[in-house]
Amino acid sequence: MEKFVKMRNNKAKDKVLSNLKKRKFEAYYCETKKEALEMALSLIPEDDVVSWGGSVSAEEIGLIDAVKKSRKVIDRDTAKTPEEAFELRRQGLLADSFIMGTNAISEDGQLVNIDGTGNRVAALCFGPKNVIVICGMNKLVKTVEDAYQRAHTVAAPINAQRFEGLGTPCEISGNCADCLSDNCICCSVVVTRACKPAGKIKVILVGESLGF
């Protein structure tokens, strides 16, 4: 089965890469996690201050561990209090480079991201001079509408399982209830239909399943 998934990914990548480039993103394709890690590090200057949003995809390719060892970082996970974590998130908006995943990407090259606190999508829109997006080919869908649905009904309910005691309907049932819970992780939905300034956002498509 892995062989056929790889064949599909190699065939499907060309269209989305072309469309990303039309929308002024820098776009790359790496067949493996190892290649994606090398590519991502090559796109982050060694003297950059780096931060990131919660990204299982970036963790899975080893990028978060790598930048901690090789770059100056703003790491909210070092915070000792919620207030300190909030401040580190604010500082991350002015990092030189920001790392994140994406909840979905449409064939025509648009990114769809859903966020609770909003720091991840805020950094995508404005602040850091360099944004690195790690995206497994399992996130590729046909349309923006499909991407929106994937973010709500696939990514968010699985992501909710990471947060112990969240108490949202999706954390309890595993299904999106379009809730307005106090702990809702779907407060902001951002569609990035083009990159401005051109080249600020670098999308690395990976020919493996990453994140959720």
Side-chain angles (χ1 to χ4, degrees):
M1 182 175 177
E2 183 178 344
K3 171 185 175 182
F4 303 123
V5 171
K6 184 177 291 188
M7 290 172 64
R8 174 265 180 183
N9 289 344
N10 278 320
K11 292 176 179 178
K13 72 180 191 302
D14 293 334
K15 181 176 182 180
V16 67
L17 285 172
S18 175
N19 286 328
L20 283 165
K21 291 172 183 177
K22 287 178 183 177
R23 295 178 182 275
K24 311 305 181 186
F25 297 93
E26 283 189 24
Y28 306 88
Y29 182 78
C30 297
E31 285 196 2
T32 67
K33 296 174 186 176
K34 180 181 178 181
E35 292 173 6
L37 173 60
E38 293 172 354
M39 175 62 73
L41 288 173
S42 75
L43 297 173
I44 302 173
E46 291 185 3
D47 59 351
D48 268 15
V49 175
V50 182
S51 193
W52 53 87
S55 173
V56 173
S57 297
E59 291 175 359
E60 286 180 337
I61 70 168
L63 182 55
I64 303 303
D65 285 341
V67 295
K68 286 181 180 179
K69 294 174 183 176
S70 62
R71 308 291 195 276
K72 182 177 179 181
V73 302
I74 299 170
D75 182 0
R76 69 187 185 193
D77 292 333
T78 63
K80 296 179 176 60
T81 65
E83 292 77 16
E84 186 179 357
F86 181 80
E87 182 58 30
L88 288 171
R89 285 187 177 93
R90 291 182 67 245
Q91 292 176 22
L93 298 178
L94 292 178
D96 299 306
S97 287
F98 191 88
I99 298 165
M100 59 180 289
T102 187
N103 295 130
I105 183 170
S106 61
E107 283 185 2
D108 67 353
Q110 300 187 62
L111 310 181
V112 174
N113 282 283
I114 198 164
D115 208 352
T117 304
N119 63 298
R120 186 171 64 96
V121 295
L124 176 65
C125 295
F126 187 78
K129 295 177 288 185
N130 188 36
V131 177
I132 309 295
V133 177
I134 308 299
C135 179
M137 287 290 283
N138 55 306
K139 306 285 187 70
L140 178 62
V141 296
K142 182 69 177 176
T143 68
V144 171
E145 290 75 19
D146 294 331
Y148 183 88
Q149 287 299 315
R150 186 188 191 284
H152 272 286
T153 64
V154 178
I158 298 175
N159 197 33
Q161 308 309 310
R162 298 169 59 209
F163 305 107
E164 185 177 351
L166 194 65
T168 60
C170 65
E171 190 264 335
I172 294 168
S173 71
N175 296 302
C176 177
D178 195 25
C179 77
L180 294 174
S181 166
D182 289 344
N183 290 326
C184 179
I185 62 171
C186 302
C187 297
S188 299
V189 182
V190 171
V191 178
T192 309
R193 60 178 300 276
C195 178
K196 188 175 183 177
K200 168 196 165 183
I201 302 171
K202 284 86 171 169
V203 179
I204 301 176
L205 297 176
V206 186
E208 297 187 28
S209 181
L210 295 174
F212 35 78

